[in-house]
Amino acid sequence: MTQAGLLRMMGAASRAEPDELKAALLAFSCNFVLLASYYILRPLRDTMATVFGVAQLQDLFTGTFVLTLLLVPAFAWCAARVKLSRFLPGVFWVVIVNLAIFYGLFRVVPGSRWAAAAFYCWFSVINLFLISVFWTLMADTFSSAQATRLFAFIAAGGSIGAILGPIVTASCIRTIGVSGLVLVASAGFFVVIVLVHLLMLEKEKLRTLDCDTQKTSLDHNLPGNPLRGFALLFSSRYLLGQAVFFVLMTWIATILYFLQADYIAKAFSAVENRAIAFADVDLFVNVCSALVLIFGVGRFLQRFGVTASLALSPILMVIACFVLAMAPTFLAVQSARALQRISQYAIARPSREVLFTVLDQQSKYKAKNVIDTAVYRFGDLTAAWSQAGLRSMGLGFLAIVGLGMAVSVAWGLSAFITGRRYQAIIDNRENGLVAAPVR
């Protein structure tokens, strides 16, 4: 196939206009490498939870939440002092330095519970920052109309990369070990830095050509105190609605994650076998997510709109919890967890990212970061301790599944309300009725 033919094929798959195609392909590639590197480390993170002890997962979630609360103001503080064009790639440089430290720890104290806990908490926080930074750049590059067409394609790049990551982990961990995989992931993040620079150059090119993209520049910082993101969040009903949506989405994910981790810890004794078990599940989820994103979600978004796309995942989770209640088996738990992750990555993720395209830069980089990190981990923490409380009262599997069903119903209601608010903003702007910042 010729280069021109390949470009035409990619343009058709992405639904990108000619002037958008390079930016869309760069975004696809960046998300591919980012998620591939992330998924090399994700099975290691989940394995570290089994090393520390599944019964103490709520303690790891607490540590993760505390670390998140410390890093969110630090993120905003840096954004207020460093140009965005330097700040965005700088986030990934920090990750590479941190991974070098963990490489040394895993070599010096292999099997340490506290090194495992440190890696679990660090990775559980930093992965949210990385994904948040990438999608914030997307929302700051593409307009709402472009996002509806392109975000499913860009997310598909991540899902395809996420297929590669678990394959690398499962095939290499016995030969190069945990520390070797840390180095492989670090090399991937270096490639991400290169692609982020290229994306920023393309954003500036589109802006100067007056294309139908966001008109913002990255050649400045974002003034404000370290808690500016929290202030923006709590002053906007639109952002609070997104925060509620995110918390409820996180609750159902955490409920099923606890059940999955418990089953895998009982089924496999060796750390390497647990890592492979998590990697195999990741591989299945990511193959299905890529297929859904490539062949379904983009068309669904354009035909039925953002509100329907946001509500689809909660509906699927209500059905999954009902099946779990009827058939509480290991296969049912694994299937429900897989369905939850597929729907979150392939449906909820690109749908909710569209919501941020109507915000100003301060809200995109600061309030969005609070939602993507602190609010996310608040949902994790409260869900984890709620399950621990249910178990301490002697309530078991069915009580937890019942909680999951109630959460899914509430999540569906939140999705409907949030989607309607977004559509009202779009309708008003198309009619020339909104000039003020979104509230």
Side-chain angles (χ1 to χ4, degrees):
M1 180 179 293
T2 64
Q3 182 179 3
L6 180 62
L7 287 175
R8 282 195 299 270
M9 185 182 72
M10 296 298 289
S14 66
R15 301 194 171 191
E17 299 295 333
D19 57 353
E20 306 165 347
L21 183 56
K22 184 177 179 180
L25 292 178
L26 282 171
F28 178 96
S29 302
C30 188
N31 204 20
F32 169 82
V33 181
L34 173 60
L35 268 292
S37 305
Y38 164 72
Y39 270 97
I40 289 172
L41 297 176
R42 182 187 169 103
L44 303 184
R45 188 279 306 267
D46 293 334
T47 302
M48 295 304 163
T50 66
V51 172
F52 186 77
V54 175
Q56 284 78 48
L57 266 178
Q58 64 270 17
D59 296 327
L60 292 177
F61 276 52
T62 302
T64 297
F65 180 64
V66 171
L67 183 57
T68 302
L69 289 182
L70 294 174
L71 288 182
V72 167
F75 181 93
W77 184 86
C78 292
R81 284 157 178 78
V82 181
K83 288 182 180 180
L84 289 173
S85 58
R86 296 181 180 179
F87 175 68
L88 297 178
V91 173
F92 295 94
W93 279 116
V94 171
V95 172
I96 291 175
V97 171
N98 289 168
L99 284 174
I101 295 172
F102 279 109
Y103 171 80
L105 278 175
F106 292 144
R107 299 281 293 182
V108 174
V109 286
S112 166
R113 289 182 72 245
W114 297 110
F119 183 82
Y120 184 97
C121 293
W122 171 82
F123 184 75
S124 296
V125 174
I126 206 65
N127 66 356
L128 297 182
F129 279 90
L130 297 181
I131 295 171
S132 178
V133 164
F134 172 78
W135 280 106
T136 300
L137 179 57
M138 295 302 95
D140 199 26
T141 300
F142 300 107
S143 66
S144 298
Q146 289 175 310
T148 303
R149 286 186 289 105
L150 300 177
F151 276 15
F153 172 74
I154 294 170
S159 289
I160 296 171
I163 294 169
L164 177 63
I167 293 175
V168 172
T169 298
S171 60
C172 297
I173 191 168
R174 288 196 175 98
T175 55
I176 65 176
V178 170
S179 57
L181 287 173
V182 169
L183 290 181
V184 174
S186 298
F189 288 125
F190 177 78
V191 176
V192 170
I193 291 172
V194 175
L195 290 169
V196 166
H197 278 289
L198 294 175
L199 269 168
M200 292 189 298
L201 290 173
E202 189 63 19
K203 169 181 166 57
E204 182 61 21
K205 175 184 173 183
L206 292 173
R207 188 178 73 87
T208 55
L209 291 175
D210 200 28
C211 297
D212 183 26
T213 53
Q214 301 283 2
K215 305 306 180 185
T216 52
S217 167
L218 299 176
D219 193 30
H220 61 91
N221 58 2
L222 295 174
N225 65 63
L227 300 179
R228 176 66 171 159
F230 289 96
L232 290 168
L233 171 61
F234 288 108
S235 64
S236 168
R237 288 183 300 169
Y238 182 67
L239 289 169
L240 283 173
Q242 294 186 55
V244 171
F245 176 91
F246 217 39
V247 166
L248 294 170
M249 181 179 74
T250 305
W251 262 65
I252 187 63
T254 303
I255 287 169
L256 294 175
Y257 173 67
F258 266 59
L259 294 175
Q260 180 195 34
D262 190 38
Y263 273 114
I264 288 180
K266 292 175 180 176
F268 303 100
S269 57
V271 169
E272 290 81 6
N273 289 335
R274 292 175 185 173
I276 291 172
F278 280 114
D280 287 342
V281 174
D282 286 345
L283 178 59
F284 173 77
V285 166
N286 295 327
V287 168
C288 293
S289 297
L291 292 174
V292 171
L293 284 163
I294 292 170
F295 296 108
V297 171
R299 294 175 177 85
F300 190 94
L301 261 171
Q302 283 191 281
R303 181 170 182 179
F304 298 104
V306 171
T307 303
S309 296
L310 290 172
L312 184 56
S313 292
I315 292 171
L316 292 175
M317 287 301 96
V318 170
I319 296 171
C321 288
F322 179 78
V323 172
L324 276 179
M326 296 296 101
T329 64
F330 175 70
L331 179 61
V333 169
Q334 289 287 73
S335 299
R337 172 65 170 154
L339 178 62
Q340 174 267 314
R341 290 175 60 196
I342 292 167
S343 68
Q344 179 176 331
Y345 302 154
I347 301 172
R349 164 65 71 181
S351 302
R352 69 171 290 270
E353 295 298 344
V354 174
L355 301 175
F356 292 100
T357 59
V358 298
L359 298 174
D360 62 278
Q361 260 192 331
Q362 283 275 356
S363 297
K364 284 175 184 171
Y365 284 94
K366 293 186 177 180
K368 182 182 188 301
N369 180 258
V370 171
I371 295 172
D372 288 346
T373 57
V375 170
Y376 191 110
R377 289 311 175 200
F378 173 77
D380 275 346
L381 178 68
T382 51
W385 281 106
S386 295
Q387 289 185 85
L390 289 175
R391 290 176 177 174
S392 68
M393 292 186 292
L395 300 175
F397 185 91
L398 288 178
I400 293 173
V401 171
L403 175 64
M405 184 174 292
V407 168
S408 299
V409 171
W411 182 23
L413 179 62
S414 171
F416 178 78
I417 294 172
T418 302
R420 295 297 295 172
R421 284 177 177 165
Y422 165 81
Q423 193 57 51
I425 292 168
I426 294 298
D427 292 343
N428 287 337
R429 287 187 172 180
E430 289 179 351
N431 294 326
L433 299 178
V434 175
V438 173
R439 293 297 177 210

